[in-house]
Amino acid sequence: MLAQIISHTPLWVWAIFVALLWLGGSQLLPRRVTLRRITLLPVAMSGLSLYGVTSAFGSNPVALACWMLALLATLIAATGRTLPAGTRYHPVERYFSLPGSPVPLLLMMSIFIVKYAVGAVGASAPQLLHVNGVTEAISLLYGLFSGLFLSRSFNLWRLALATTRAAEETAAYPL
């Protein structure tokens, strides 16, 4: 059955999988990232997770509420957490120096795998998506992933604002 599911998967799905692997894999290494990129990727991945909810459950208010609840709860819980050692913002050049991390890759693959599994179940046994608790669990998972992505971006923005403010104060009142 698994071989049949994989063989019936459209090629564009595999292209997205490879693109996400490449994008997530590139984040395993230390790199420079702009403010724009640390904003766009979490927004895009959150959009993909919301699309996962709406493509599986339509405009089901319970599914959407669960997604939003998990996103907000995760965002609140994870915003303000300490960034990894070596994370720096350079206010003059307006970029971050980030250490490598497997977290973005894991989150991207998690969203992809959940979306793929939900799509496979929806194609082969759609009634299973409407069993008590399944809609809510899947929506909560998607919201959790989105909240983690967005909280990382918020934390980096906070660092950028604090570093920029400190640089401006130092420039205004040199020793």
mmCIF file with all atom_site columns, all heavy atoms in Angstrom, residues 105-132:
data_model
loop_
_atom_site.group_PDB
_atom_site.id
_atom_site.type_symbol
_atom_site.label_atom_id
_atom_site.label_alt_id
_atom_site.label_comp_id
_atom_site.label_asym_id
_atom_site.label_entity_id
_atom_site.label_seq_id
_atom_site.pdbx_PDB_ins_code
_atom_site.Cartn_x
_atom_site.Cartn_y
_atom_site.Cartn_z
_atom_site.occupancy
_atom_site.B_iso_or_equiv
_atom_site.pdbx_formal_charge
_atom_site.auth_seq_id
_atom_site.auth_comp_id
_atom_site.auth_asym_id
_atom_site.auth_atom_id
_atom_site.pdbx_PDB_model_num
ATOM 1   N N   . LEU A 1 105 ? 15.189  22.572 9.423  1.00 0.00 ? 105 LEU A N   1
ATOM 2   C CA  . LEU A 1 105 ? 15.016  21.383 8.587  1.00 0.00 ? 105 LEU A CA  1
ATOM 3   C C   . LEU A 1 105 ? 13.984  20.444 9.202  1.00 0.00 ? 105 LEU A C   1
ATOM 4   O O   . LEU A 1 105 ? 13.093  19.940 8.509  1.00 0.00 ? 105 LEU A O   1
ATOM 5   C CB  . LEU A 1 105 ? 16.350  20.658 8.395  1.00 0.00 ? 105 LEU A CB  1
ATOM 6   C CG  . LEU A 1 105 ? 16.296  19.323 7.650  1.00 0.00 ? 105 LEU A CG  1
ATOM 7   C CD1 . LEU A 1 105 ? 15.800  19.501 6.228  1.00 0.00 ? 105 LEU A CD1 1
ATOM 8   C CD2 . LEU A 1 105 ? 17.674  18.655 7.664  1.00 0.00 ? 105 LEU A CD2 1
ATOM 9   N N   . LEU A 1 106 ? 14.084  20.220 10.491 1.00 0.00 ? 106 LEU A N   1
ATOM 10  C CA  . LEU A 1 106 ? 13.126  19.338 11.162 1.00 0.00 ? 106 LEU A CA  1
ATOM 11  C C   . LEU A 1 106 ? 11.702  19.882 11.072 1.00 0.00 ? 106 LEU A C   1
ATOM 12  O O   . LEU A 1 106 ? 10.754  19.129 10.839 1.00 0.00 ? 106 LEU A O   1
ATOM 13  C CB  . LEU A 1 106 ? 13.528  19.124 12.620 1.00 0.00 ? 106 LEU A CB  1
ATOM 14  C CG  . LEU A 1 106 ? 14.817  18.332 12.842 1.00 0.00 ? 106 LEU A CG  1
ATOM 15  C CD1 . LEU A 1 106 ? 15.222  18.359 14.312 1.00 0.00 ? 106 LEU A CD1 1
ATOM 16  C CD2 . LEU A 1 106 ? 14.645  16.904 12.364 1.00 0.00 ? 106 LEU A CD2 1
ATOM 17  N N   . LEU A 1 107 ? 11.543  21.185 11.249 1.00 0.00 ? 107 LEU A N   1
ATOM 18  C CA  . LEU A 1 107 ? 10.205  21.786 11.160 1.00 0.00 ? 107 LEU A CA  1
ATOM 19  C C   . LEU A 1 107 ? 9.656   21.696 9.737  1.00 0.00 ? 107 LEU A C   1
ATOM 20  O O   . LEU A 1 107 ? 8.482   21.363 9.537  1.00 0.00 ? 107 LEU A O   1
ATOM 21  C CB  . LEU A 1 107 ? 10.236  23.241 11.622 1.00 0.00 ? 107 LEU A CB  1
ATOM 22  C CG  . LEU A 1 107 ? 10.391  23.463 13.118 1.00 0.00 ? 107 LEU A CG  1
ATOM 23  C CD1 . LEU A 1 107 ? 10.584  24.940 13.431 1.00 0.00 ? 107 LEU A CD1 1
ATOM 24  C CD2 . LEU A 1 107 ? 9.188   22.926 13.864 1.00 0.00 ? 107 LEU A CD2 1
ATOM 25  N N   . MET A 1 108 ? 10.498  21.980 8.750  1.00 0.00 ? 108 MET A N   1
ATOM 26  C CA  . MET A 1 108 ? 10.051  21.890 7.353  1.00 0.00 ? 108 MET A CA  1
ATOM 27  C C   . MET A 1 108 ? 9.638   20.470 6.997  1.00 0.00 ? 108 MET A C   1
ATOM 28  O O   . MET A 1 108 ? 8.595   20.243 6.370  1.00 0.00 ? 108 MET A O   1
ATOM 29  C CB  . MET A 1 108 ? 11.156  22.351 6.407  1.00 0.00 ? 108 MET A CB  1
ATOM 30  C CG  . MET A 1 108 ? 11.396  23.826 6.412  1.00 0.00 ? 108 MET A CG  1
ATOM 31  S SD  . MET A 1 108 ? 12.756  24.206 5.299  1.00 0.00 ? 108 MET A SD  1
ATOM 32  C CE  . MET A 1 108 ? 13.405  25.656 6.066  1.00 0.00 ? 108 MET A CE  1
ATOM 33  N N   . MET A 1 109 ? 10.453  19.520 7.401  1.00 0.00 ? 109 MET A N   1
ATOM 34  C CA  . MET A 1 109 ? 10.130  18.126 7.092  1.00 0.00 ? 109 MET A CA  1
ATOM 35  C C   . MET A 1 109 ? 8.892   17.669 7.853  1.00 0.00 ? 109 MET A C   1
ATOM 36  O O   . MET A 1 109 ? 8.086   16.900 7.341  1.00 0.00 ? 109 MET A O   1
ATOM 37  C CB  . MET A 1 109 ? 11.324  17.212 7.415  1.00 0.00 ? 109 MET A CB  1
ATOM 38  C CG  . MET A 1 109 ? 12.507  17.376 6.464  1.00 0.00 ? 109 MET A CG  1
ATOM 39  S SD  . MET A 1 109 ? 12.124  16.925 4.758  1.00 0.00 ? 109 MET A SD  1
ATOM 40  C CE  . MET A 1 109 ? 11.801  18.516 4.019  1.00 0.00 ? 109 MET A CE  1
ATOM 41  N N   . SER A 1 110 ? 8.709   18.183 9.061  1.00 0.00 ? 110 SER A N   1
ATOM 42  C CA  . SER A 1 110 ? 7.519   17.827 9.845  1.00 0.00 ? 110 SER A CA  1
ATOM 43  C C   . SER A 1 110 ? 6.258   18.316 9.156  1.00 0.00 ? 110 SER A C   1
ATOM 44  O O   . SER A 1 110 ? 5.272   17.568 9.037  1.00 0.00 ? 110 SER A O   1
ATOM 45  C CB  . SER A 1 110 ? 7.608   18.416 11.251 1.00 0.00 ? 110 SER A CB  1
ATOM 46  O OG  . SER A 1 110 ? 8.693   17.851 11.951 1.00 0.00 ? 110 SER A OG  1
ATOM 47  N N   . ILE A 1 111 ? 6.268   19.564 8.693  1.00 0.00 ? 111 ILE A N   1
ATOM 48  C CA  . ILE A 1 111 ? 5.100   20.094 7.985  1.00 0.00 ? 111 ILE A CA  1
ATOM 49  C C   . ILE A 1 111 ? 4.858   19.283 6.719  1.00 0.00 ? 111 ILE A C   1
ATOM 50  O O   . ILE A 1 111 ? 3.724   18.891 6.424  1.00 0.00 ? 111 ILE A O   1
ATOM 51  C CB  . ILE A 1 111 ? 5.280   21.598 7.666  1.00 0.00 ? 111 ILE A CB  1
ATOM 52  C CG1 . ILE A 1 111 ? 5.233   22.418 8.958  1.00 0.00 ? 111 ILE A CG1 1
ATOM 53  C CG2 . ILE A 1 111 ? 4.197   22.074 6.692  1.00 0.00 ? 111 ILE A CG2 1
ATOM 54  C CD1 . ILE A 1 111 ? 5.585   23.883 8.782  1.00 0.00 ? 111 ILE A CD1 1
ATOM 55  N N   . PHE A 1 112 ? 5.923   19.009 5.971  1.00 0.00 ? 112 PHE A N   1
ATOM 56  C CA  . PHE A 1 112 ? 5.777   18.246 4.729  1.00 0.00 ? 112 PHE A CA  1
ATOM 57  C C   . PHE A 1 112 ? 5.213   16.852 5.003  1.00 0.00 ? 112 PHE A C   1
ATOM 58  O O   . PHE A 1 112 ? 4.284   16.406 4.330  1.00 0.00 ? 112 PHE A O   1
ATOM 59  C CB  . PHE A 1 112 ? 7.121   18.134 3.991  1.00 0.00 ? 112 PHE A CB  1
ATOM 60  C CG  . PHE A 1 112 ? 7.006   17.356 2.715  1.00 0.00 ? 112 PHE A CG  1
ATOM 61  C CD1 . PHE A 1 112 ? 6.675   17.996 1.536  1.00 0.00 ? 112 PHE A CD1 1
ATOM 62  C CD2 . PHE A 1 112 ? 7.203   15.978 2.695  1.00 0.00 ? 112 PHE A CD2 1
ATOM 63  C CE1 . PHE A 1 112 ? 6.535   17.281 0.354  1.00 0.00 ? 112 PHE A CE1 1
ATOM 64  C CE2 . PHE A 1 112 ? 7.069   15.256 1.519  1.00 0.00 ? 112 PHE A CE2 1
ATOM 65  C CZ  . PHE A 1 112 ? 6.729   15.911 0.340  1.00 0.00 ? 112 PHE A CZ  1
ATOM 66  N N   . ILE A 1 113 ? 5.764   16.166 5.983  1.00 0.00 ? 113 ILE A N   1
ATOM 67  C CA  . ILE A 1 113 ? 5.333   14.789 6.272  1.00 0.00 ? 113 ILE A CA  1
ATOM 68  C C   . ILE A 1 113 ? 3.879   14.749 6.736  1.00 0.00 ? 113 ILE A C   1
ATOM 69  O O   . ILE A 1 113 ? 3.107   13.893 6.300  1.00 0.00 ? 113 ILE A O   1
ATOM 70  C CB  . ILE A 1 113 ? 6.279   14.123 7.295  1.00 0.00 ? 113 ILE A CB  1
ATOM 71  C CG1 . ILE A 1 113 ? 7.634   13.854 6.626  1.00 0.00 ? 113 ILE A CG1 1
ATOM 72  C CG2 . ILE A 1 113 ? 5.680   12.851 7.870  1.00 0.00 ? 113 ILE A CG2 1
ATOM 73  C CD1 . ILE A 1 113 ? 8.757   13.504 7.587  1.00 0.00 ? 113 ILE A CD1 1
ATOM 74  N N   . VAL A 1 114 ? 3.497   15.683 7.588  1.00 0.00 ? 114 VAL A N   1
ATOM 75  C CA  . VAL A 1 114 ? 2.105   15.724 8.032  1.00 0.00 ? 114 VAL A CA  1
ATOM 76  C C   . VAL A 1 114 ? 1.194   16.013 6.839  1.00 0.00 ? 114 VAL A C   1
ATOM 77  O O   . VAL A 1 114 ? 0.178   15.340 6.641  1.00 0.00 ? 114 VAL A O   1
ATOM 78  C CB  . VAL A 1 114 ? 1.897   16.760 9.165  1.00 0.00 ? 114 VAL A CB  1
ATOM 79  C CG1 . VAL A 1 114 ? 0.420   16.981 9.443  1.00 0.00 ? 114 VAL A CG1 1
ATOM 80  C CG2 . VAL A 1 114 ? 2.612   16.302 10.433 1.00 0.00 ? 114 VAL A CG2 1
ATOM 81  N N   . LYS A 1 115 ? 1.571   16.995 6.009  1.00 0.00 ? 115 LYS A N   1
ATOM 82  C CA  . LYS A 1 115 ? 0.757   17.328 4.830  1.00 0.00 ? 115 LYS A CA  1
ATOM 83  C C   . LYS A 1 115 ? 0.675   16.130 3.887  1.00 0.00 ? 115 LYS A C   1
ATOM 84  O O   . LYS A 1 115 ? -0.395  15.818 3.355  1.00 0.00 ? 115 LYS A O   1
ATOM 85  C CB  . LYS A 1 115 ? 1.375   18.542 4.116  1.00 0.00 ? 115 LYS A CB  1
ATOM 86  C CG  . LYS A 1 115 ? 0.704   18.919 2.814  1.00 0.00 ? 115 LYS A CG  1
ATOM 87  C CD  . LYS A 1 115 ? -0.607  19.627 3.053  1.00 0.00 ? 115 LYS A CD  1
ATOM 88  C CE  . LYS A 1 115 ? -1.234  20.056 1.738  1.00 0.00 ? 115 LYS A CE  1
ATOM 89  N NZ  . LYS A 1 115 ? -2.395  19.275 1.372  1.00 0.00 ? 115 LYS A NZ  1
ATOM 90  N N   . TYR A 1 116 ? 1.780   15.434 3.687  1.00 0.00 ? 116 TYR A N   1
ATOM 91  C CA  . TYR A 1 116 ? 1.801   14.269 2.800  1.00 0.00 ? 116 TYR A CA  1
ATOM 92  C C   . TYR A 1 116 ? 0.912   13.151 3.365  1.00 0.00 ? 116 TYR A C   1
ATOM 93  O O   . TYR A 1 116 ? 0.107   12.561 2.635  1.00 0.00 ? 116 TYR A O   1
ATOM 94  C CB  . TYR A 1 116 ? 3.235   13.768 2.633  1.00 0.00 ? 116 TYR A CB  1
ATOM 95  C CG  . TYR A 1 116 ? 3.384   12.679 1.600  1.00 0.00 ? 116 TYR A CG  1
ATOM 96  C CD1 . TYR A 1 116 ? 3.553   12.985 0.259  1.00 0.00 ? 116 TYR A CD1 1
ATOM 97  C CD2 . TYR A 1 116 ? 3.355   11.339 1.976  1.00 0.00 ? 116 TYR A CD2 1
ATOM 98  C CE1 . TYR A 1 116 ? 3.687   11.987 -0.696 1.00 0.00 ? 116 TYR A CE1 1
ATOM 99  C CE2 . TYR A 1 116 ? 3.483   10.331 1.023  1.00 0.00 ? 116 TYR A CE2 1
ATOM 100 C CZ  . TYR A 1 116 ? 3.652   10.665 -0.301 1.00 0.00 ? 116 TYR A CZ  1
ATOM 101 O OH  . TYR A 1 116 ? 3.776   9.672  -1.242 1.00 0.00 ? 116 TYR A OH  1
ATOM 102 N N   . ALA A 1 117 ? 1.049   12.882 4.646  1.00 0.00 ? 117 ALA A N   1
ATOM 103 C CA  . ALA A 1 117 ? 0.253   11.816 5.277  1.00 0.00 ? 117 ALA A CA  1
ATOM 104 C C   . ALA A 1 117 ? -1.236  12.144 5.242  1.00 0.00 ? 117 ALA A C   1
ATOM 105 O O   . ALA A 1 117 ? -2.065  11.284 4.933  1.00 0.00 ? 117 ALA A O   1
ATOM 106 C CB  . ALA A 1 117 ? 0.712   11.595 6.718  1.00 0.00 ? 117 ALA A CB  1
ATOM 107 N N   . VAL A 1 118 ? -1.571  13.392 5.538  1.00 0.00 ? 118 VAL A N   1
ATOM 108 C CA  . VAL A 1 118 ? -2.971  13.797 5.502  1.00 0.00 ? 118 VAL A CA  1
ATOM 109 C C   . VAL A 1 118 ? -3.508  13.686 4.076  1.00 0.00 ? 118 VAL A C   1
ATOM 110 O O   . VAL A 1 118 ? -4.638  13.225 3.863  1.00 0.00 ? 118 VAL A O   1
ATOM 111 C CB  . VAL A 1 118 ? -3.152  15.225 6.071  1.00 0.00 ? 118 VAL A CB  1
ATOM 112 C CG1 . VAL A 1 118 ? -4.544  15.770 5.795  1.00 0.00 ? 118 VAL A CG1 1
ATOM 113 C CG2 . VAL A 1 118 ? -2.864  15.236 7.570  1.00 0.00 ? 118 VAL A CG2 1
ATOM 114 N N   . GLY A 1 119 ? -2.704  14.085 3.098  1.00 0.00 ? 119 GLY A N   1
ATOM 115 C CA  . GLY A 1 119 ? -3.118  13.962 1.701  1.00 0.00 ? 119 GLY A CA  1
ATOM 116 C C   . GLY A 1 119 ? -3.326  12.510 1.296  1.00 0.00 ? 119 GLY A C   1
ATOM 117 O O   . GLY A 1 119 ? -4.297  12.176 0.607  1.00 0.00 ? 119 GLY A O   1
ATOM 118 N N   . ALA A 1 120 ? -2.421  11.636 1.732  1.00 0.00 ? 120 ALA A N   1
ATOM 119 C CA  . ALA A 1 120 ? -2.545  10.213 1.404  1.00 0.00 ? 120 ALA A CA  1
ATOM 120 C C   . ALA A 1 120 ? -3.787  9.609  2.053  1.00 0.00 ? 120 ALA A C   1
ATOM 121 O O   . ALA A 1 120 ? -4.535  8.864  1.409  1.00 0.00 ? 120 ALA A O   1
ATOM 122 C CB  . ALA A 1 120 ? -1.291  9.461  1.852  1.00 0.00 ? 120 ALA A CB  1
ATOM 123 N N   . VAL A 1 121 ? -4.022  9.931  3.311  1.00 0.00 ? 121 VAL A N   1
ATOM 124 C CA  . VAL A 1 121 ? -5.208  9.426  3.999  1.00 0.00 ? 121 VAL A CA  1
ATOM 125 C C   . VAL A 1 121 ? -6.462  10.008 3.350  1.00 0.00 ? 121 VAL A C   1
ATOM 126 O O   . VAL A 1 121 ? -7.447  9.292  3.132  1.00 0.00 ? 121 VAL A O   1
ATOM 127 C CB  . VAL A 1 121 ? -5.165  9.736  5.511  1.00 0.00 ? 121 VAL A CB  1
ATOM 128 C CG1 . VAL A 1 121 ? -6.504  9.449  6.173  1.00 0.00 ? 121 VAL A CG1 1
ATOM 129 C CG2 . VAL A 1 121 ? -4.054  8.951  6.182  1.00 0.00 ? 121 VAL A CG2 1
ATOM 130 N N   . GLY A 1 122 ? -6.419  11.301 3.027  1.00 0.00 ? 122 GLY A N   1
ATOM 131 C CA  . GLY A 1 122 ? -7.567  11.941 2.394  1.00 0.00 ? 122 GLY A CA  1
ATOM 132 C C   . GLY A 1 122 ? -7.907  11.322 1.046  1.00 0.00 ? 122 GLY A C   1
ATOM 133 O O   . GLY A 1 122 ? -9.080  11.231 0.670  1.00 0.00 ? 122 GLY A O   1
ATOM 134 N N   . ALA A 1 123 ? -6.894  10.850 0.323  1.00 0.00 ? 123 ALA A N   1
ATOM 135 C CA  . ALA A 1 123 ? -7.134  10.229 -0.987 1.00 0.00 ? 123 ALA A CA  1
ATOM 136 C C   . ALA A 1 123 ? -7.604  8.783  -0.863 1.00 0.00 ? 123 ALA A C   1
ATOM 137 O O   . ALA A 1 123 ? -8.388  8.315  -1.680 1.00 0.00 ? 123 ALA A O   1
ATOM 138 C CB  . ALA A 1 123 ? -5.852  10.285 -1.822 1.00 0.00 ? 123 ALA A CB  1
ATOM 139 N N   . SER A 1 124 ? -7.118  8.087  0.159  1.00 0.00 ? 124 SER A N   1
ATOM 140 C CA  . SER A 1 124 ? -7.436  6.654  0.260  1.00 0.00 ? 124 SER A CA  1
ATOM 141 C C   . SER A 1 124 ? -8.565  6.331  1.239  1.00 0.00 ? 124 SER A C   1
ATOM 142 O O   . SER A 1 124 ? -9.315  5.376  1.013  1.00 0.00 ? 124 SER A O   1
ATOM 143 C CB  . SER A 1 124 ? -6.187  5.861  0.643  1.00 0.00 ? 124 SER A CB  1
ATOM 144 O OG  . SER A 1 124 ? -5.700  6.287  1.900  1.00 0.00 ? 124 SER A OG  1
ATOM 145 N N   . ALA A 1 125 ? -8.676  7.092  2.311  1.00 0.00 ? 125 ALA A N   1
ATOM 146 C CA  . ALA A 1 125 ? -9.725  6.828  3.312  1.00 0.00 ? 125 ALA A CA  1
ATOM 147 C C   . ALA A 1 125 ? -10.116 8.144  3.984  1.00 0.00 ? 125 ALA A C   1
ATOM 148 O O   . ALA A 1 125 ? -9.827  8.361  5.169  1.00 0.00 ? 125 ALA A O   1
ATOM 149 C CB  . ALA A 1 125 ? -9.213  5.818  4.341  1.00 0.00 ? 125 ALA A CB  1
ATOM 150 N N   . PRO A 1 126 ? -10.768 9.036  3.258  1.00 0.00 ? 126 PRO A N   1
ATOM 151 C CA  . PRO A 1 126 ? -11.062 10.372 3.790  1.00 0.00 ? 126 PRO A CA  1
ATOM 152 C C   . PRO A 1 126 ? -11.882 10.382 5.072  1.00 0.00 ? 126 PRO A C   1
ATOM 153 O O   . PRO A 1 126 ? -11.775 11.307 5.868  1.00 0.00 ? 126 PRO A O   1
ATOM 154 C CB  . PRO A 1 126 ? -11.816 11.062 2.646  1.00 0.00 ? 126 PRO A CB  1
ATOM 155 C CG  . PRO A 1 126 ? -12.227 9.985  1.716  1.00 0.00 ? 126 PRO A CG  1
ATOM 156 C CD  . PRO A 1 126 ? -11.305 8.834  1.919  1.00 0.00 ? 126 PRO A CD  1
ATOM 157 N N   . GLN A 1 127 ? -12.664 9.340  5.293  1.00 0.00 ? 127 GLN A N   1
ATOM 158 C CA  . GLN A 1 127 ? -13.475 9.286  6.518  1.00 0.00 ? 127 GLN A CA  1
ATOM 159 C C   . GLN A 1 127 ? -12.589 9.273  7.774  1.00 0.00 ? 127 GLN A C   1
ATOM 160 O O   . GLN A 1 127 ? -13.017 9.715  8.839  1.00 0.00 ? 127 GLN A O   1
ATOM 161 C CB  . GLN A 1 127 ? -14.424 8.066  6.500  1.00 0.00 ? 127 GLN A CB  1
ATOM 162 C CG  . GLN A 1 127 ? -13.767 6.720  6.634  1.00 0.00 ? 127 GLN A CG  1
ATOM 163 C CD  . GLN A 1 127 ? -13.159 6.157  5.336  1.00 0.00 ? 127 GLN A CD  1
ATOM 164 O OE1 . GLN A 1 127 ? -13.107 6.837  4.311  1.00 0.00 ? 127 GLN A OE1 1
ATOM 165 N NE2 . GLN A 1 127 ? -12.704 4.919  5.389  1.00 0.00 ? 127 GLN A NE2 1
ATOM 166 N N   . LEU A 1 128 ? -11.354 8.803  7.657  1.00 0.00 ? 128 LEU A N   1
ATOM 167 C CA  . LEU A 1 128 ? -10.458 8.760  8.819  1.00 0.00 ? 128 LEU A CA  1
ATOM 168 C C   . LEU A 1 128 ? -10.069 10.153 9.308  1.00 0.00 ? 128 LEU A C   1
ATOM 169 O O   . LEU A 1 128 ? -9.747  10.333 10.482 1.00 0.00 ? 128 LEU A O   1
ATOM 170 C CB  . LEU A 1 128 ? -9.200  7.953  8.491  1.00 0.00 ? 128 LEU A CB  1
ATOM 171 C CG  . LEU A 1 128 ? -9.400  6.461  8.234  1.00 0.00 ? 128 LEU A CG  1
ATOM 172 C CD1 . LEU A 1 128 ? -8.079  5.795  7.886  1.00 0.00 ? 128 LEU A CD1 1
ATOM 173 C CD2 . LEU A 1 128 ? -10.031 5.790  9.449  1.00 0.00 ? 128 LEU A CD2 1
ATOM 174 N N   . LEU A 1 129 ? -10.102 11.121 8.411  1.00 0.00 ? 129 LEU A N   1
ATOM 175 C CA  . LEU A 1 129 ? -9.752  12.494 8.808  1.00 0.00 ? 129 LEU A CA  1
ATOM 176 C C   . LEU A 1 129 ? -10.826 13.128 9.686  1.00 0.00 ? 129 LEU A C   1
ATOM 177 O O   . LEU A 1 129 ? -10.582 14.153 10.317 1.00 0.00 ? 129 LEU A O   1
ATOM 178 C CB  . LEU A 1 129 ? -9.519  13.365 7.574  1.00 0.00 ? 129 LEU A CB  1
ATOM 179 C CG  . LEU A 1 129 ? -8.319  12.990 6.712  1.00 0.00 ? 129 LEU A CG  1
ATOM 180 C CD1 . LEU A 1 129 ? -8.249  13.889 5.496  1.00 0.00 ? 129 LEU A CD1 1
ATOM 181 C CD2 . LEU A 1 129 ? -7.036  13.050 7.528  1.00 0.00 ? 129 LEU A CD2 1
ATOM 182 N N   . HIS A 1 130 ? -11.997 12.502 9.736  1.00 0.00 ? 130 HIS A N   1
ATOM 183 C CA  . HIS A 1 130 ? -13.108 13.079 10.496 1.00 0.00 ? 130 HIS A CA  1
ATOM 184 C C   . HIS A 1 130 ? -13.481 12.253 11.728 1.00 0.00 ? 130 HIS A C   1
ATOM 185 O O   . HIS A 1 130 ? -14.512 12.481 12.334 1.00 0.00 ? 130 HIS A O   1
ATOM 186 C CB  . HIS A 1 130 ? -14.305 13.290 9.564  1.00 0.00 ? 130 HIS A CB  1
ATOM 187 C CG  . HIS A 1 130 ? -13.933 14.144 8.393  1.00 0.00 ? 130 HIS A CG  1
ATOM 188 N ND1 . HIS A 1 130 ? -13.707 15.492 8.498  1.00 0.00 ? 130 HIS A ND1 1
ATOM 189 C CD2 . HIS A 1 130 ? -13.695 13.825 7.092  1.00 0.00 ? 130 HIS A CD2 1
ATOM 190 C CE1 . HIS A 1 130 ? -13.363 15.978 7.322  1.00 0.00 ? 130 HIS A CE1 1
ATOM 191 N NE2 . HIS A 1 130 ? -13.343 14.986 6.453  1.00 0.00 ? 130 HIS A NE2 1
ATOM 192 N N   . VAL A 1 131 ? -12.612 11.324 12.082 1.00 0.00 ? 131 VAL A N   1
ATOM 193 C CA  . VAL A 1 131 ? -12.788 10.573 13.320 1.00 0.00 ? 131 VAL A CA  1
ATOM 194 C C   . VAL A 1 131 ? -12.544 11.536 14.481 1.00 0.00 ? 131 VAL A C   1
ATOM 195 O O   . VAL A 1 131 ? -11.715 12.443 14.385 1.00 0.00 ? 131 VAL A O   1
ATOM 196 C CB  . VAL A 1 131 ? -11.803 9.372  13.367 1.00 0.00 ? 131 VAL A CB  1
ATOM 197 C CG1 . VAL A 1 131 ? -11.816 8.691  14.712 1.00 0.00 ? 131 VAL A CG1 1
ATOM 198 C CG2 . VAL A 1 131 ? -12.116 8.387  12.255 1.00 0.00 ? 131 VAL A CG2 1
ATOM 199 N N   . ASN A 1 132 ? -13.278 11.337 15.581 1.00 0.00 ? 132 ASN A N   1
ATOM 200 C CA  . ASN A 1 132 ? -13.136 12.231 16.736 1.00 0.00 ? 132 ASN A CA  1
ATOM 201 C C   . ASN A 1 132 ? -11.680 12.478 17.105 1.00 0.00 ? 132 ASN A C   1
ATOM 202 O O   . ASN A 1 132 ? -10.905 11.553 17.305 1.00 0.00 ? 132 ASN A O   1
ATOM 203 C CB  . ASN A 1 132 ? -13.867 11.650 17.955 1.00 0.00 ? 132 ASN A CB  1
ATOM 204 C CG  . ASN A 1 132 ? -15.351 11.844 17.877 1.00 0.00 ? 132 ASN A CG  1
ATOM 205 O OD1 . ASN A 1 132 ? -15.846 12.648 17.102 1.00 0.00 ? 132 ASN A OD1 1
ATOM 206 N ND2 . ASN A 1 132 ? -16.085 11.088 18.683 1.00 0.00 ? 132 ASN A ND2 1
#
